Amino acid sequence: MLVISSLGLNKFHYRPVTLANLLDKPFTNPFISFYDRVLSAFEDSYNKNIDSRELKLPENFKAEINNKTYSIYPIEIAYSYDAPKNFRAMLCFQAYSAYTSWLDELNAEFFTNTDTAPELLIFNMDAIDGRLPLIECPAEWFAIYSNYKIKLCDYENNIFLLERIKSKTKGLKEFDTREIKINEPIEIPDNVCVMRVNFKLNTYGKIIKTLYSIPAVNMKINYHDGTEIQGRIIPDTLTNDLIISNILTTLKDFELFMSGDKNIRRVKSIEFSGAGLKYYEPDLKIVFSEIL
């Protein structure tokens, strides 16, 4: 399917382009005609509902932003259409683009550097491609947690407005190092902590990554309350420090955690799986650090 994607600040619009229109001439081949009819039907269906996909900021969010600088995390930059004047974009302006530890660190620096950090942050917990929210960019999540607090909540639209504060963390202190096999369960310490994992591609993985991309690697998370979730991770970014003791998957958990309630659902253990594991070295080094 030939699709031209145009990104508007007020909406995301994916417009299918028929072969006949693209080349400005009719086709008489029956297969081509059928192909064009299918794409035209797809476009008509999409355009009927496109207004419902526009992203609008709540009025109290816009009033609070006013002339303050702000950014948007993780991906919905369309919100800037309602308040474009003082929008500051991250270097990788949508979080999923920060797919290496280095890019993750650059975006984290954006939130910690007083010269670039926005006063406000429009925040939700969206993720793409089956990824777990807040895990794909560990350094960014830790920087946001350390330097922002919740100003406004809007559960109807699934967004928060965060306000920059003096950092509430003083750094990290390593307290445990483990060496395990890549497919072994990892028991998580009881204290509020971060985890760093040294995923390293094996020779085969380096070749595959050069030619194409590594298949999915997943993380299964077991909580002390007996619940389990699983989602896709980006192994390279887990070389940065991830808040592992409380993996947040709901806006309510996020609100409680940001407010200082560390007794919400806690992680008991994690386990890596997926077709992509065979492209990494079998031995992992895990480092846990306490949040000071």
Side-chain angles (χ1 to χ4, degrees):
M1 179 183 292
L2 178 62
V3 176
I4 292 179
S5 169
S6 66
L7 174 60
L9 283 180
N10 62 328
K11 60 173 75 77
F12 294 98
H13 187 183
Y14 295 91
R15 176 181 172 82
V17 180
T18 65
L19 294 176
N21 291 338
L22 182 63
L23 299 180
D24 197 27
K25 61 183 296 186
F27 285 89
T28 56
N29 185 296
F31 174 78
I32 298 293
S33 298
F34 174 76
Y35 174 87
D36 283 347
R37 286 198 302 273
V38 170
L39 287 184
S40 295
F42 173 82
E43 181 178 18
D44 290 343
S45 175
Y46 184 92
N47 287 335
K48 286 179 182 178
N49 298 309
I50 194 167
D51 289 339
S52 67
R53 273 182 279 269
E54 293 185 20
L55 297 172
K56 299 287 187 180
L57 280 177
E59 291 301 319
N60 59 335
F61 278 46
K62 289 193 284 187
E64 185 63 39
I65 291 172
N66 195 13
N67 291 319
K68 297 176 183 177
T69 59
Y70 75 98
S71 191
I72 297 168
Y73 190 90
I75 59 176
E76 298 289 8
I77 59 171
Y79 284 124
S80 64
Y81 177 76
D82 276 348
K85 289 190 298 182
N86 296 311
F87 173 57
R88 289 185 179 178
M90 299 179 293
L91 187 64
C92 297
F93 58 89
Q94 290 173 299
Y96 68 83
S97 299
Y99 57 90
T100 70
S101 58
W102 178 66
L103 293 173
D104 182 30
E105 289 170 351
L106 287 180
N107 271 3
E109 172 68 14
F110 170 80
F111 291 115
T112 57
N113 189 322
T114 55
D115 293 330
T116 58
E119 297 170 85
L120 299 169
L121 179 63
I122 299 168
F123 178 94
N124 65 20
M125 294 178 64
D126 288 345
I128 67 166
D129 200 21
R131 299 178 190 176
L132 292 165
L134 304 181
I135 289 182
E136 61 181 349
C137 299
E140 293 167 46
W141 163 218
F142 186 75
I144 292 169
Y145 165 71
S146 299
N147 295 282
Y148 288 83
K149 70 175 184 179
I150 295 175
K151 181 74 173 178
L152 296 173
C153 306
D154 189 315
Y155 278 98
E156 182 178 350
N157 292 291
N158 298 315
I159 57 174
F160 289 114
L161 187 66
L162 309 185
E163 179 181 42
R164 183 168 171 79
I165 59 172
K166 182 179 179 180
S167 180
K168 57 177 175 272
T169 61
K170 299 178 181 179
L172 300 170
K173 181 180 179 181
E174 293 184 10
F175 67 87
D176 189 9
T177 300
R178 307 176 192 173
E179 293 184 1
I180 67 168
K181 295 298 181 183
I182 197 169
N183 57 354
E184 289 181 15
I186 303 169
E187 297 295 324
I188 304 303
D190 291 333
N191 54 327
V192 179
C193 63
V194 303
M195 177 188 74
R196 189 167 65 249
V197 187
N198 71 326
F199 278 98
K200 292 183 179 180
L201 290 169
N202 56 32
T203 301
Y204 187 37
K206 293 176 183 177
I207 294 172
I208 294 300
K209 188 173 183 179
T210 300
L211 297 175
Y212 189 54
S213 62
I214 302 298
V217 174
N218 301 316
M219 178 193 288
K220 183 174 74 171
I221 303 166
N222 300 294
Y223 293 90
H224 281 282
D225 65 3
T227 57
E228 293 183 358
I229 62 170
Q230 179 168 290
R232 185 173 181 175
I233 62 168
I234 305 174
D236 187 66
T237 63
L238 289 191
T239 58
N240 291 337
D241 291 301
L242 168 69
I243 301 175
I244 191 65
S245 50
N246 301 81
I247 294 183
L248 314 177
T249 58
T250 69
L251 290 175
K252 186 61 179 177
D253 281 350
F254 176 81
E255 181 181 14
L256 292 172
F257 189 76
M258 292 292 287
S259 300
D261 185 348
K262 306 303 187 298
N263 294 315
I264 58 176
R265 190 170 57 159
R266 299 289 293 270
V267 176
K268 180 180 181 181
S269 65
I270 63 170
E271 187 174 349
F272 301 116
S273 63
L277 280 190
K278 67 181 181 181
Y279 299 97
Y280 291 88
E281 295 289 349
D283 298 315
L284 290 180
K285 181 180 179 181
I286 313 292
V287 177
F288 292 99
S289 298
E290 180 184 3
I291 300 175
L292 301 177

